[in-house]
């Protein structure tokens, strides 16, 4: 009996110890060694330069990936169709803008096919792998409960031969699909022990529109700046406009500027009063600022629209944190977590230091439990989780 499984193009890896998914995504030893020795600021300067390159010993083999989990005792997959679409989009974005993040080849890129072709090919490949993998997991897994499923798509242009065009059949030939399946216990929403404690520690990532495995390695230097008890690291290019977390999207529930809501609304004494006067809005950075278009992020936008909750795509400003009433983060495993504390350096220059203990931190603290708007959004998303669930029995 096993608690973790790894499949390559539907074939199970029969090793004595299947790695954690994080180990799979950051497995190359050359790049890991480089990252652990590099100052975070120096690494970002090197990575964002136009002449960025890796030595042969640092060569990366990576790809686009997505992670989701099951729901209702492993009976359905959360938002599966959305994940497949995003996986296809990430793969095509990397193909177009950062092929080195997808292919282990220096060959010129062949002509592109429409996104619909990529989506169709990747869905076919992934479902073929899932059809082979899920029956084995169901039969051989240890215990019951939910499953976390990561799908990693990697490419190899050498399989193309001399052909320069990439149609659906060719896409299927040049891509490999890795499935990592493991047991997962979803945290209970709203419990203080499961709240998020955040710290702003570094600049935004490159090719943020795509979800790719190299980011798991590239963010490693930021760990040097993680204060004690911090559960997620936030990214900002200037120390004020907060973009996203390393593995999450970031939201605040913010009191609108007094010029927008009037002096009367500022005298409200509860969130219910604020809401009735339309003086609150949910804020998160727009994708154009350089953030991942996360699956749950999009659902938050849709839920706010359907529930009449004011929403604005604007990067939350740390300098205006006194207006923040609630904060939460989202990703596809935990779905939503309310935030209890956020820390940021008193000066952005301090992030050049090599240790978090040398940094002078400022802190924003929220209530121990989720705010009214955070809780309402989470409740509606979980309703949609059942409605949009993809039956696991479709793979058995």
């Amino acid at each position: 009996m096993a608690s973790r499984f790894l499949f390559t193009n539907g074939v199970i890896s029969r090793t004595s110890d299947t790695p954690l998914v994080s180990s799979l995504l950051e497995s190359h030893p050359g790049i890991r060694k480089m990252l652990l020795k590099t100052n975070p600021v120096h690494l970002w300067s090197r990575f964002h330069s136009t002449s960025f390159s890796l030595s042969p010993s640092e060569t990366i083999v990576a790809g686009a990936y997505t992670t989701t989990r099951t729901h209702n005792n492993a009976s359905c997959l959360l938002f599966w169709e959305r994940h497949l679409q995003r996986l296809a989009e990430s793969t095509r974005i990397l193909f177009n803008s950062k092929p080195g993040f997808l292919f282990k080849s220096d060959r010129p890129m062949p002509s592109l096919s429409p996104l619909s072709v990529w989506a169709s090919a990747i869905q076919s490949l992934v479902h073929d792998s899932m059809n082979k993998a899920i029956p084995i997991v169901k039969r051989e897994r240890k215990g019951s409960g939910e499953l976390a499923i990561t799908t990693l798509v990697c490419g190899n242009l050498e399989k193309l031969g001399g052909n320069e065009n990439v149609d659906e059949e060719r896409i299927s030939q040049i891509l490999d699909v890795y499935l990592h399946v493991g047991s997962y216990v979803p945290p209970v929403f709203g419990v203080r022990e499961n709240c998020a404690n955040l710290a702003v520690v570094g600049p935004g990532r490159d090719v943020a529109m795509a979800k790719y495995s190299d980011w798991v390695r590239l963010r490693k230097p930021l760990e040097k700046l993680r204060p004690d008890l911090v559960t997620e690291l936030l990214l900002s290019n200037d120390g004020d406009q907060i973009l996203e977390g390393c593995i999450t999207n970031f939201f605040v529930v913010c009191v609108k500027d007094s010029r927008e809501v009037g002096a009367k609304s500022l005298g409200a004494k509860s969130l219910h009063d604020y809401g009735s006067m339309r003086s609150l809005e949910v804020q998160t950075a727009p994708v154009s600022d350089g953030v991942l278009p996360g699956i749950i992020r999009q659902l938050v936008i849709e839920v706010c629209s359907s529930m009449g909750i004011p929403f604005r795509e604007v990067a939350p400003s740390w300098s205006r944190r006194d207006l923040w009433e609630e904060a939460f983060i989202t990703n596809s495993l935990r779905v939503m977590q309310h935030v209890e504390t956020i820390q940021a350096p008193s000066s952005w220059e301090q992030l050049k230091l090599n240790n978090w203990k040398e940094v002078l931190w400022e802190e924003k603290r929220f209530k121990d439990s989720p705010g009214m708007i955070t809780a309402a959004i989470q409740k509606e998303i979980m309703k949609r989780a059942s409605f949009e669930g993809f039956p696991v029995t479709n793979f058995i």
Side-chain angles (χ1 to χ4, degrees), residues 272-292:
H272 176 75
D273 293 331
Y274 282 137
S276 65
M277 296 179 187
R278 313 290 291 169
S279 63
L280 291 177
E281 67 180 7
V282 178
Q283 297 181 354
T284 194
V287 170
S288 58
D289 278 3
V291 304
L292 179 73

Side-chain angles (χ1 to χ4, degrees), residues 74-77 131 134 138 390-396:
S75 63
C76 63
L77 289 167
N131 284 330
I134 293 301
K138 285 283 192 180
F390 189 91
V392 172
T393 53
N394 286 5
F395 299 120
I396 299 176

Side-chain angles (χ1 to χ4, degrees), residues 113-243:
S113 298
L115 177 60
S116 59
V117 176
W118 285 85
S120 176
I122 288 176
Q123 177 174 324
S124 178
L125 287 170
V126 173
H127 276 191
D128 181 64
S129 292
M130 290 286 284
N131 284 330
K132 296 171 182 175
I134 293 301
I136 295 175
V137 172
K138 285 283 192 180
R139 184 172 63 249
E140 299 185 13
R141 68 179 298 204
K142 186 186 299 181
S144 57
E146 306 301 345
L147 297 169
I149 300 175
T150 294
T151 307
L152 172 65
V153 173
C154 305
N156 186 351
L157 284 182
E158 302 305 326
K159 295 181 180 180
L160 267 182
N163 196 307
E164 294 185 356
N165 294 315
V166 180
D167 53 19
E168 184 171 346
E169 181 180 357
R170 289 289 183 177
I171 292 173
S172 299
Q173 292 174 354
I174 64 175
L175 296 179
D176 292 318
V177 175
Y178 298 85
L179 286 178
H180 187 284
V181 184
S183 298
Y184 183 73
V185 180
V188 177
F189 176 76
V191 178
R192 185 180 183 185
E193 302 84 75
N194 296 330
C195 71
N197 294 288
L198 316 178
V200 185
V201 299
R205 61 195 183 95
D206 199 19
V207 202
M209 284 283 290
K211 191 176 181 72
Y212 53 93
S213 60
D214 279 309
W215 174 238
V216 180
R217 291 182 284 258
L218 289 166
R219 69 179 185 236
K220 277 293 182 180
L222 298 178
E223 291 298 325
K224 296 179 181 179
L225 296 172
R226 181 192 292 268
D228 282 344
L229 304 180
V230 164
T231 57
E232 169 66 321
L233 302 176
L234 296 177
L235 307 177
S236 172
N237 289 326
D238 59 8
D240 185 54
Q241 307 296 312
I242 300 179
L243 301 174

Side-chain angles (χ1 to χ4, degrees), residues 186-191 194 328 334 336-338 370-371 374-376 378-379:
V188 177
F189 176 76
V191 178
N194 296 330
F328 60 90
R334 292 177 174 261
M336 282 183 62
Q337 279 182 283
H338 73 281
T374 299
Q378 189 272 346
K379 183 178 180 180

